[in-house]
Amino acid sequence: MVVEPPAPFPDLQRATLRTLQVNLGYTCNQACSHCHVDAGPWRREQMEAGTLALIPQVLRAHRLQTLDLTGGAPELHPQFRSLVQEARGMGVEVLDRCNLTILLEDGQEDLAAFLASQGVIILASLPCYEAGNVDRQRGTGVFARSLEGLRRLNQLGYGQPGSGLELHLVFNPIGPTLPPDQQGLQTAYKTALGQQGLMFNTLKVMSNMPIKRFAEHLAREGTLEAYKDLLRSNHKATNLEHVMCRSLISVDWQGRLYDCDFNQMLGLASPLAGHLRDLLEADNTMARIHVADHCFGCTAGFGSSCGGALQGG
């Protein structure tokens, strides 16, 4: 009997470009087991000033709505604050993908207040509301430090009704499983954290991508191929309309362009253009998207993207 090879991921075309997602570097104060960036305290790669100066120009040229800053810990880039201020001065929405513990680091004592003063939207990683699970994935003591970071943000108004300061938490499964229903898990988070007097706006549920550090972990356990099969077998075509790459361009610390953060980590360049500076001359951003097998991580089950699940339960 002839076994048919699995179907490839469907072709995708970009729709309207709304978001520039920029990885400012791989330096981080944490080293999480699920990190697809392989970030950590030992990494020194950071975007140079000349490349960073192109970001506001591209935002203006394409009239983009959102600047999405990631890393590593993006706040550790020496020009993070000046970039935020310039983008906000242009009326661009700024998202900071924050690991919460960075707010407690030496030299960052005023970071939370800065973010609040600029009205930055915070997407904060918190993979569980139980200490054991968080510390196992992110390091001993990270859960307690994360809650202290949340407390500081709440004191400034983040997550509080009517404050206008948005604080969203991000959940990743601990192991090679699909995320649960986003709404149900959000209720559990709000109950558990509310018992400690902590508040947030919404929970964003994301799949773990079978690449880099997480893929290496699964390979050591002998579960990598099973996880890939799980993602493929749970593919839902309806999620294709809403995946993040259709409205986003990802930029690495050297200014090179990719269709998403995951493609960036795999070195799968965007067909759109080669470098951030090329976007100053590119009139047509409606380009074909570079897809591969890992893309099933965004379309499996309820779907997944940088903004959480793509559909309700």
Side-chain angles (χ1 to χ4, degrees):
M1 185 175 95
V2 177
V3 178
E4 293 290 331
F9 193 84
D11 290 338
L12 278 179
Q13 195 85 6
R14 182 168 289 99
T16 302
L17 183 61
R18 296 192 298 268
T19 300
L20 188 69
Q21 185 179 71
V22 180
N23 189 312
L24 292 177
Y26 301 155
T27 306
C28 190
N29 61 318
Q30 295 183 178
C32 304
S33 62
H34 69 291
C35 182
H36 66 275
V37 183
D38 284 342
W42 61 89
R43 302 296 296 265
R44 294 292 178 264
E45 301 94 327
Q46 287 190 323
M47 183 174 284
E48 294 183 352
T51 303
L52 190 140
L54 294 170
I55 295 172
Q57 298 179 48
V58 170
L59 294 173
R60 188 176 295 109
H62 290 277
R63 299 179 181 179
L64 299 182
Q65 299 172 10
T66 304
L67 174 62
D68 184 343
L69 297 177
T70 184
E75 306 91 347
L76 291 177
H77 192 287
Q79 290 179 265
F80 170 81
R81 300 192 190 199
S82 60
L83 176 60
V84 168
Q85 289 174 319
E86 187 165 4
R88 293 297 292 140
M90 296 164 55
V92 174
E93 176 182 78
V94 175
L95 275 63
D96 176 27
R97 295 187 179 269
C98 178
N99 66 20
L100 292 175
T101 63
I102 191 67
L103 302 173
L104 280 62
E105 292 291 323
D106 291 343
Q108 301 292 342
E109 293 85 357
D110 62 340
L111 175 59
F114 168 78
L115 297 172
S117 72
Q118 296 297 313
V120 172
I121 298 171
I122 296 179
L123 279 76
S125 300
L126 191 67
C128 188
Y129 50 79
E130 295 179 345
N133 287 337
V134 173
D135 287 358
R136 185 164 73 251
Q137 189 181 76
R138 317 203 78 178
T140 302
V142 168
F143 181 73
R145 287 166 57 80
S146 296
L147 294 196
E148 176 57 28
L150 277 177
R151 190 166 287 106
R152 293 188 183 186
L153 292 172
N154 283 172
Q155 289 170 351
L156 291 163
Y158 271 104
Q160 305 284 359
S163 71
L165 294 174
E166 297 182 35
L167 170 59
H168 307 282
L169 301 185
V170 177
F171 165 88
N172 295 84
I174 299 298
T177 60
L178 291 178
D181 169 52
Q182 184 166 274
Q183 192 60 46
L185 189 59
Q186 175 177 290
T187 299
Y189 263 71
K190 282 186 175 286
T191 299
L193 295 179
Q195 291 173 350
Q196 302 190 56
L198 299 172
M199 303 179 69
F200 63 95
N201 294 99
T202 65
L203 180 72
K204 309 296 185 182
V205 172
M206 301 183 190
S207 297
N208 287 322
M209 278 289 174
I211 62 175
K212 291 291 184 176
R213 191 177 293 165
F214 186 62
E216 293 167 2
H217 171 72
L218 296 185
R220 288 193 298 270
E221 291 190 336
T223 57
L224 177 58
E225 293 308 315
Y227 183 56
K228 289 181 177 180
D229 289 342
L230 176 70
L231 297 177
R232 184 187 296 274
S233 64
N234 283 276
H235 167 72
K236 290 186 178 178
T238 52
N239 287 327
L240 292 170
E241 288 297 313
H242 308 289
V243 287
M244 60 187 178
C245 54
R246 301 198 69 230
S247 61
L248 173 149
I249 280 289
S250 176
V251 186
D252 76 1
W253 65 277
Q254 296 180 88
R256 296 175 299 199
L257 302 183
Y258 302 85
D259 293 316
C260 72
D261 191 45
F262 307 118
N263 280 9
Q264 181 185 140
M265 295 307 114
L266 293 172
L268 303 177
S270 172
L272 174 64
H275 192 272
L276 191 58
R277 71 176 72 90
D278 298 328
L279 286 180
L280 295 175
E281 303 174 0
D283 294 326
N284 179 23
T285 57
M286 308 290 191
R288 179 179 61 84
I289 293 169
H290 197 151
V291 298
D293 282 352
H294 68 281
C295 299
F296 286 106
C298 285
T299 59
F302 297 117
S304 180
S305 76
C306 281
L310 303 177
Q311 54 183 290

